[in-house]
Amino acid sequence: MSNVSDMSEKTVALVTGANKGIGYEIAAGLGALGWSVGVGARDERRGTDAVAKLRAAGVDAFGVPLDVTDDDSVSAAARLIEERAGRLDVLVNNAGVAGDWPEEPSTVDLETVRRLLETNVIGVIRVTNAMLPLLRRSAHPRIVNQSSHVGSLTLQTTPGVDLGGISGAYAPTKTCLNAVTIQYAKELSGADLLINAACPGYVATDLNGFSGTRTPEQGAAIAVRLATLPDDGPTGQLFDDSGVVPW
């Protein structure tokens, strides 16, 4: 705990899946605010490279080996943050995986569904629950869950709205994540902890073969904004750059 006193005045954040793409840009955006940012990464080498790149840009970044699908890995990550800072102020659940697209539910591979649920939903619950004791020590705790417009049942059922075709696995995991976010908001409503979901838009990342129309930096902006909400800010809602997105 020797570093705890050094962190007493600095906001501490953890971003999962932060070694590349949107997650990396979220870490960079929070680091630009003078925060200490944990770079959660399943791949050790990529995580180390991302931390080095962020530090070269002036960010107080530190590596957090983290596989959101593994109980022991998540527990070890929580211990690392406790030893380094003694608390966690902001958690951004960004790590996610995608299946094929389009993908019809009548022919979807069930192992694909399980794999996506394990990371995109269960992984978020696993990490959130492990970090909650540290978040409860913060004066201004925030949680941001990386969702998507395709997870909105309202948008999915609105005539004329094009969300890229049928998604038998990925879109439903984001709908489930939205529901989980709402339930956490209900549970934590009296704890001064704000939790919201973010829609980054159609961002060019390896999840879509870099076919997106937005840059990772643009996609990261909404998560950074939700991570820095004031104490009287909203909770239990879904947002994109334009504002509230209907569930």
Side-chain angles (χ1 to χ4, degrees):
M1 301 287 286
S2 59
N3 291 330
V4 171
S5 60
D6 298 335
M7 306 299 297
S8 60
E9 300 300 325
K10 183 171 286 192
T11 301
V12 182
L14 170 65
V15 183
T16 68
N19 59 286
K20 60 182 178 178
I22 299 172
Y24 177 87
E25 294 299 338
I26 293 172
L30 297 179
L33 301 174
W35 293 14
S36 181
V37 183
V39 177
R42 181 175 54 182
D43 185 294
E44 183 177 357
R45 180 184 61 79
R46 289 179 178 176
T48 299
D49 290 347
V51 169
K53 185 178 177 181
L54 287 165
R55 287 179 176 172
V59 174
D60 179 12
F62 61 97
V64 182
L66 179 57
D67 179 350
V68 303
T69 69
D70 183 84
D71 289 340
D72 291 340
S73 176
V74 172
S75 295
R79 289 194 300 270
L80 186 155
I81 293 172
E82 178 161 23
E83 291 170 0
R84 179 181 176 86
R87 72 176 195 287
L88 182 64
D89 298 298
V90 172
L91 169 63
V92 181
N93 286 305
N94 169 77
V97 292
D100 294 331
W101 198 295
E103 191 169 46
E104 296 179 343
S106 61
T107 57
V108 67
D109 177 61
L110 293 183
E111 286 306 314
T112 296
V113 176
R114 291 189 183 97
R115 179 173 61 86
L116 268 60
L117 281 169
E118 184 62 45
T119 297
N120 298 353
V121 180
I122 299 173
V124 170
I125 297 172
R126 179 181 287 112
V127 173
T128 299
N129 290 351
M131 299 301 165
L132 268 176
L134 296 171
L135 286 161
R136 293 182 189 277
R137 299 176 190 172
S138 172
H140 311 282
R142 306 284 182 268
I143 300 175
V144 181
N145 291 335
Q146 194 72 284
S147 186
S148 170
H149 291 96
V150 302
S152 166
L153 292 177
T154 299
L155 295 181
Q156 285 281 5
T157 55
T158 298
V161 174
D162 181 12
L163 295 176
I166 297 173
S167 172
Y170 179 74
T173 67
K174 292 304 183 179
T175 302
C176 186
L177 176 62
N178 290 347
V180 167
T181 301
I182 292 171
Q183 299 308 313
Y184 271 117
K186 289 181 176 182
E187 178 186 358
L188 301 170
S189 61
D192 297 323
L193 193 159
L194 305 182
I195 176 170
N196 292 286
C199 295
Y202 190 31
V203 177
T205 70
D206 56 1
L207 289 185
N208 55 40
F210 299 97
S211 62
T213 56
R214 310 190 79 207
T215 67
E217 185 175 7
Q218 289 173 322
I222 183 58
V224 172
R225 181 161 70 86
L226 295 175
T228 57
L229 286 173
D231 290 343
D232 62 351
T235 191
Q237 296 189 46
L238 179 65
F239 291 89
D240 64 11
D241 289 342
S242 299
V244 176
V245 176
W247 293 115

